[in-house]
Structures are given as C-alpha cells and as structure tokens.
Amino acid sequence: MQPTEALRHPLDPDPVRSSKAGAVFGLGLLAAVTGVLVGGVVPAAVALLLARQARREAYASGGYLTGSVWVRRGERLAWIGIMLCIATVVVATVVGILKSAGPGGVQDFAPGVD
C-alpha cells in the first residue's frame, strides 16, 4: 500500500506563517488609511522595511516560513499610503501657491488709469 502524502523527515519543522507578515499587512493598512493625513508615511516606511526582512527570512527558511501573500498585500497598501501622502502634499502646495498668487481683494486704481 502506497502512502497518500509525501513523507517528511521527523526533524523538519512545521511550516508556519511569519509574524512579520502580519505586522507588514497591519502597518500597510494603517498607512493606506492615514495616507491622506500625511502621517501614513511613517507606518508605510516601517512596513516596507519589515517586508524586506520578512522576504529575506522566508527565503532563508527554505519554505518553512509562509505568509508571502500577506507581505505582498502589505507592501501594496504601504505604497498606496505613500502615494496618497504625496498627492496630499502636491494638492496642498498647489492650493497654497494659488492662494498666495491671487490678489487679496479688489485692487483700486486711480480714476485716470486704464
């Protein structure tokens, strides 16, 4: 009778999800939610750094550390948070330039000026 599942060596560790994968996803989600408030840059940067470490550890584990899907999703959310922050800064800059460039009120010229 043939075994139905592949035999593993008894000393092989069980595959587990990386704890950094959950942290990357949580920080990426926080960055995407707070990206418009410009505060999302900090969790996004931390998420991207942790994602890099998580990928390195998953590669070194030889397949026994899982969670690459959560790392990928967290990275995407972190980049979304960074893009929202950049868009907010650009819009605020344009609004500030337009407000400072326009006249404060109606300019009153002398009666003989065209």
Side-chain angles (χ1 to χ4, degrees):
M1 193 154 148
Q2 294 284 336
T4 57
E5 63 182 57
L7 295 176
R8 284 185 22 197
H9 191 275
L11 295 178
D12 283 345
D14 290 329
V16 293
R17 188 175 66 151
S18 172
S19 60
K20 287 184 181 179
V24 168
F25 180 75
L27 286 168
L29 186 62
L30 182 66
V33 169
T34 59
V36 177
L37 304 174
V38 185
V41 172
V42 175
V46 174
L48 292 174
L49 290 173
L50 277 178
R52 188 169 146 197
Q53 292 175 4
R55 286 189 191 280
R56 193 177 313 130
E57 289 175 3
Y59 179 77
S61 72
Y64 292 107
L65 213 57
T66 62
S68 63
V69 172
W70 291 101
V71 171
R72 200 171 327 124
R73 289 177 186 164
E75 279 180 320
R76 287 181 185 158
L77 288 170
W79 281 112
I80 288 170
I82 289 173
M83 293 301 150
L84 286 172
C85 176
I86 290 171
T88 301
V89 169
V90 167
V91 167
T93 303
V94 168
V95 167
I97 289 172
L98 291 177
K99 282 195 179 259
S100 67
V106 177
Q107 193 166 1
D108 191 22
F109 291 106
V113 176
D114 284 334

